[in-house]
């Protein structure tokens, strides 16, 4: 599987384009993904769906622009459907902007799902937001703003919870392999590195 990363929008949120066997997924398009169609053409790939690790404004701002050219499903945690149309919930009002997404989303369930041509294992890790979700695709973890290199997501936005975050972290470190981690901001890392160096994952 090929992974192309673009840091999009005013806070440079990572958007991931996953390509495999002529199919593609977009994860967290936080702003307009200007070269998406060019990349799909180069890779001879069709876009299957858009996946959201969570529905804060900096991860959803580019959805509508993609849907203009691609009639695909948008998947979100069931707890965050209303975030797409509510700037208070998606945090955009807090940052003096106003982001609304007009997609009619489908929702995840925990466990293994087939989305387009991809097998996606879905894990719910609330804390940063009530619907924070991690995807395991091709033995890689896409963690959104749940965990970063050396840090974790903030918990002071709407529906954030320190208690839920630390319960989720206890669950997260039980993964039994050294998976690569692709976070919502900043550089990629690995689970073993985070177990060793991330202060929030120390027992």
């Amino acid at each position: 599987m090929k992974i192309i990363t673009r840091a999009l929008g005013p806070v440079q949120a990572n958007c991931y384009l996953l390509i495999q066997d002529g199919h593609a997924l977009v994860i967290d398009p936080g702003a307009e993904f200007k070269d998406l169609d060019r990349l799909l053409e180069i890779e001879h790939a069709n876009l299957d769906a858009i996946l959201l690790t969570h529905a804060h404004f900096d991860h959803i701002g580019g959805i509508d622009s993609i849907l203009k050219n691609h009639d695909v499903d948008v998947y979100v945690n069931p707890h965050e459907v209303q975030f797409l149309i509510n700037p208070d919930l998606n945090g955009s009002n807090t940052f003096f902007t106003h982001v609304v997404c007009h997609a009619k989303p489908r929702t995840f369930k925990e466990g293994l799902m087939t989305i387009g041509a991809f097998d996606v294992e879905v894990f719910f890790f609330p804390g940063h937001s009530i619907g924070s979700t991690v995807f395991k695709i091709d033995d890689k973890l896409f963690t959104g703003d749940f965990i970063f290199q050396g840090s974790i997501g903030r918990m002071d936005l709407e529906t954030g919870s320190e208690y839920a975050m630390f319960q989720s972290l206890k669950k997260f470190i039980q993964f039994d392999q050294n998976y690569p981690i692709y976070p919502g901001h900043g550089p990629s890392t690995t689970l073993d590195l985070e177990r060793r160096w991330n202060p929030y994952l120390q027992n």
Side-chain angles (χ1 to χ4, degrees):
M1 182 176 72
K2 185 173 186 177
I3 302 171
I4 298 171
T5 306
R6 291 289 184 271
L8 302 179
V11 293
Q12 295 289 278
N14 289 332
C15 174
Y16 297 104
L17 175 64
L18 281 51
I19 298 171
Q20 184 170 270
D21 299 328
H23 293 268
L25 294 175
V26 169
I27 298 177
D28 289 353
E32 184 180 2
F33 193 151
K34 294 182 179 179
D35 59 343
L36 173 62
D37 289 347
R38 181 182 65 84
L39 291 171
L40 291 172
E41 183 177 358
I42 290 171
E43 299 292 338
H44 305 289
N46 293 314
L47 184 63
D48 288 351
I50 298 169
L51 278 57
L52 303 177
T53 61
H54 64 298
H56 281 155
F57 75 99
D58 55 325
H59 294 255
I60 68 172
I63 293 173
D64 285 353
S65 63
I66 293 175
L67 295 182
K68 288 178 182 178
N69 295 325
H70 301 276
D71 182 18
V72 298
D73 289 325
V74 178
Y75 287 84
V76 67
N77 187 292
H79 295 294
E80 297 196 4
V81 170
Q82 292 301 310
F83 283 44
L84 298 178
I85 58 172
N86 187 325
D88 289 321
L89 290 174
N90 68 40
S92 56
N93 278 350
T94 302
F95 293 89
F96 307 103
T97 183
H98 185 88
V99 175
V100 171
C101 171
H102 297 92
K104 295 180 179 179
R106 302 186 68 173
T107 56
F108 295 114
K109 62 180 185 297
E110 277 200 286
L112 187 62
M113 299 181 65
T114 298
I115 299 176
F118 294 81
D119 292 327
V120 180
E121 195 164 0
V122 178
F123 302 89
F124 293 169
F125 287 111
H128 174 64
S129 67
I130 193 172
S132 289
T133 301
V134 170
F135 310 124
K136 181 160 77 74
I137 307 173
D138 193 32
D139 286 339
K140 296 170 178 61
L141 299 179
F142 298 87
T143 59
D145 290 1
F146 170 57
I147 190 165
F148 309 122
Q149 184 188 73
S151 190
I152 59 174
R154 60 190 294 177
M155 294 158 277
D156 59 338
L157 298 174
E158 196 75 28
T159 79
S161 166
E162 183 174 329
Y163 174 79
M165 173 64 85
F166 285 98
Q167 292 302 114
S168 292
L169 289 170
K170 290 178 183 178
K171 177 182 170 184
F172 181 74
I173 61 174
Q174 294 175 10
F175 279 119
D176 59 357
Q177 296 183 39
N178 181 29
Y179 294 112
I181 292 174
Y182 293 83
H185 300 268
S188 60
T189 181
T190 69
L191 186 50
D192 279 0
L193 283 173
E194 296 314 302
R195 284 192 181 107
R196 183 174 182 182
W197 298 111
N198 192 320
Y200 298 97
L201 294 182
Q202 305 306 307
N203 293 324

